[in-house]
Amino acid sequence: MRILLGVAGGIAAYKAALLLRLLKEAGHDVRVVPTRSALEFVGRPTWEALSGHPATPEVFEDVEHVPHVALGQGADLVVVAPATADLLSRAATGRADDLLTSTLLTVRCPVLLAPAMHTEMWDHAATRANVATLRDRGVHVMEPASGRLTGSDTGPGRLPEPADIAAAALALVTPGAAGAPVADAAAHGAAADDLADATDPAPQDLAGRHVVISAGGTREPIDPVRYLGNRSSGRQGYALARVARARGARVTLVAANVTLPDPSGVEVVAVESTAQLRGAVHHAAPDADVVVMAAAVADFRPARTAGHKLKKRADGVVEPLVLEPNPDVLAELTAARRPGQVVVGFAAETGDTDGDVLHHGRAKARRKGADLLAVNAVGAGLGFGTDDNAVTVLDASGEVVASAAGSKDAVAGALWDAVVRLL
Ligand code: CTP
C-alpha cells in the first residue's frame, strides 16, 4: 500500500520517524511530506533515508511531476503525525500553502490526523472548531494522548504512540483486519511488538519454509571499470523477500547490485556477476522449499575480461566485444529440483512482431519448465524502477493461474498466494 506520511512542525516530529519505520516494516511504501517547520525539528535526510523517497515541503520542487496532484492521486492512505494546531487550521480552511496542505486537497483516500500540541491549544475554541469541521468532512482526527508534554506540563495534547497511530491508520483501509504484513516484529523491539499486537499479522502460511529469492540485475565485467548490465532495480525481488518474511518464511535474498536497504530479518547475499549469483543460488537452493528467480540475469558475458582498463586505440579502431552465453540458472534449478520444491521464474517481456507479452510468456513458461512463471510487461514506464508492477502468473504448461497489478508488495502477495497453493 502507498502511504503518505505528513509531518507538521512540533517536537513530536521525531516520533513520526518511528511511525515511518513501523509502516515500512509492515510492508508499505511510505512517502514523507514534511511542513517547513517540521524540518526545524527533524531534517530531510532522516525522512529521505528512512522512506527511500525525496521529502520536500515545497510545491515548487519537481514541478514537472505536479507533485501535489501526483502524490494525492497515488496515495492509498494519508497519515499526518504530528498534526499541529496550525496544520489542523490550514487543513480545515482548505489552505494550499505548502505541499502537505495542497496534497490534502487532492487526496481521495482515507486521511488520519494525529494531533499533538499543548493542552491550551488543543482546548482552544478555534482548534475545537477546526477539528469539528475536519471530522464533518470525513477526516479521521485521533484524540491526543494525555501525559507529559514538551516542558514540565502534562495533560491532553501528547502525540498518540506511533504503534497506536499505525494501527488506527491501517484499520481505516482494512477494516477488521488492520494488519498488512508486519515484518519481523520481534526483531524490532517493543514498539514493533505493539504494532503486531494492535494489528492482525500477515497469514503465517510460509512459516517453517525456507525461500531463496534472487533480485536485481547482474553485471558482467568487461574490464575493472566497465560492465554489461541492465536496468533492474531489485524492488520486486525485495518486495517478495519482505512479504515472504512477514508470512513467516526464512528468506535468503541473493541481491545482484541492489542499492535498496536490506529487508529486516532476511539473509542478504550480495553478488555482482551471473557467475557469483549462480554460485550463491545453487549454494542455498538445495535446502529451499521455494526458489524465486526475480533477478534479471545477463544472458551473455564478455568472452574475456581484461585485467586492466581497456584503452582507446590510437588508430580509432574499436575492438569488437566478443560475448559468450551465460548458463541459464533457472533452467538448472528446474532440472535439479527435488520433489516438493517449487521453482518460480520471472519473464520481462516487451512484445514484438512475433507476438504479444503473453504469447512470449507462454512460450517461455513451456521452455523453462518452472512451476510458475510471472510474466510482466516492461518498457514505456512499466516494470523497471517503477512503484507499480503488473504480472500474469503462468504454470509450466502456459495456463494463467493468477494475475496481479498494483504496488510491488501487492504483486508479491499474489505471487506468494500462488506459490502457497503448490506447497
Ligand atoms: N534467467 C536465469 N539465467 C539466465 C537468464 C535468465 O536464471 N542466464 C532467469 C531469470 O532470472 C528469469 C527467467 O530466467 O527468472 C527469465 O529470464 P529472461 O531473461 O526473460 O529469459 P531468457 O531465457 O533469457 O529469454 P529471452 O530470450 O527472452 O531473453
Side-chain angles (χ1 to χ4, degrees):
M1 184 168 30
R2 280 164 302 191
I3 301 178
L4 217 110
L5 174 59
V7 183
I11 193 88
Y14 76 93
K15 292 188 185 169
L18 180 56
L19 173 60
L20 166 56
R21 205 53 186 271
L22 291 174
L23 294 170
K24 291 270 294 181
E25 296 293 349
H28 303 293
D29 183 30
V30 186
R31 270 192 87 123
V32 178
V33 184
T35 63
R36 288 175 206 110
S37 40
L39 298 182
E40 299 285 335
F41 295 88
V42 180
R44 263 171 91 150
T46 300
W47 303 122
E48 298 189 341
L50 289 178
S51 70
H53 292 294
T56 175
E58 307 299 343
V59 242
F60 293 108
E61 275 185 31
D62 205 17
V63 277
E64 70 276 18
H65 294 118
V66 198
H68 64 291
V69 179
L71 287 174
Q73 289 176 346
D76 301 306
L77 173 66
V78 175
V79 187
V80 181
T84 56
D86 178 63
L87 187 281
L88 293 174
S89 166
R90 291 191 293 135
T93 49
R95 295 289 298 271
D97 47 3
D98 62 9
L99 185 56
L100 178 55
T101 48
S102 304
T103 304
L104 287 174
L105 293 176
T106 61
V107 290
R108 294 294 176 264
C109 61
V111 176
L112 181 82
L113 307 182
M117 63 199 76
H118 284 278
T119 305
E120 292 81 351
M121 296 171 89
W122 176 247
D123 284 342
H124 195 282
T127 305
R128 307 309 313 156
N130 290 331
V131 169
T133 303
L134 289 162
R135 284 180 173 156
D136 276 354
R137 284 191 204 130
V139 174
H140 301 268
V141 184
M142 291 179 83
E143 286 297 314
S146 218
R148 177 89 187 264
L149 301 173
T150 310
S152 55
D153 47 346
T154 59
R158 199 179 141 87
L159 186 73
E161 284 310 300
D164 294 338
I165 301 171
L170 295 174
L172 294 179
V173 272
T174 45
V182 174
D184 197 26
H188 287 274
D193 284 340
D194 290 349
L195 178 61
D197 290 343
T199 61
D200 286 352
Q204 294 299 291
D205 47 5
L206 290 170
R209 304 288 190 178
H210 178 205
V211 308
V212 175
I213 301 162
S214 71
T218 58
R219 292 178 179 173
E220 307 304 313
I222 297 170
D223 67 18
V225 296
R226 302 184 180 93
Y227 59 83
L228 291 175
N230 62 67
R231 294 179 190 277
S232 179
S233 65
R235 292 171 71 172
Q236 185 61 72
Y238 271 49
L240 283 160
R242 254 195 328 270
V243 173
R245 180 72 193 95
R247 287 167 74 154
R250 174 161 78 86
V251 182
T252 303
L253 180 58
V254 178
N257 309 298
V258 181
T259 54
L260 301 167
D262 291 353
S264 62
V266 164
E267 185 198 358
V268 180
V269 183
V271 297
E272 289 185 24
S273 65
T274 298
Q276 291 169 350
L277 177 138
R278 179 177 180 234
V281 169
H282 283 312
H283 180 72
D287 173 55
D289 298 289
V290 187
V291 186
V292 182
M293 285 294 294
V297 181
D299 289 325
F300 308 102
R301 65 179 170 220
R304 57 177 283 275
T305 301
H308 56 274
K309 187 182 168 200
L310 296 172
K311 292 288 188 190
K312 284 194 292 289
R313 271 173 46 166
D315 59 9
V317 173
V318 180
E319 297 279 1
L321 189 60
V322 180
L323 302 178
E324 64 184 16
N326 265 328
D328 187 328
V329 183
L330 181 62
E332 292 174 345
L333 289 167
T334 53
R337 177 178 33 191
R338 57 174 172 72
Q341 188 181 52
V342 176
V343 177
V344 183
F346 265 77
E349 301 287 350
T350 59
D352 57 23
T353 48
D354 289 337
D356 62 8
V357 168
L358 207 51
H359 168 85
H360 287 294
R362 286 206 161 96
K364 194 171 286 183
R366 293 184 201 112
R367 195 170 68 240
K368 295 259 183 183
D371 299 290
L372 297 172
L373 188 75
V375 183
N376 64 325
V378 290
L382 292 168
F384 292 134
T386 57
D387 286 337
D388 284 354
N389 204 1
V391 302
T392 304
V393 184
L394 308 177
D395 66 16
S397 67
E399 287 303 309
V400 175
V401 294
S403 59
S407 69
K408 289 183 172 173
D409 283 346
V411 167
L415 189 60
W416 286 122
D417 289 345
V419 168
V420 165
R421 286 196 287 274
L422 298 181
L423 283 172

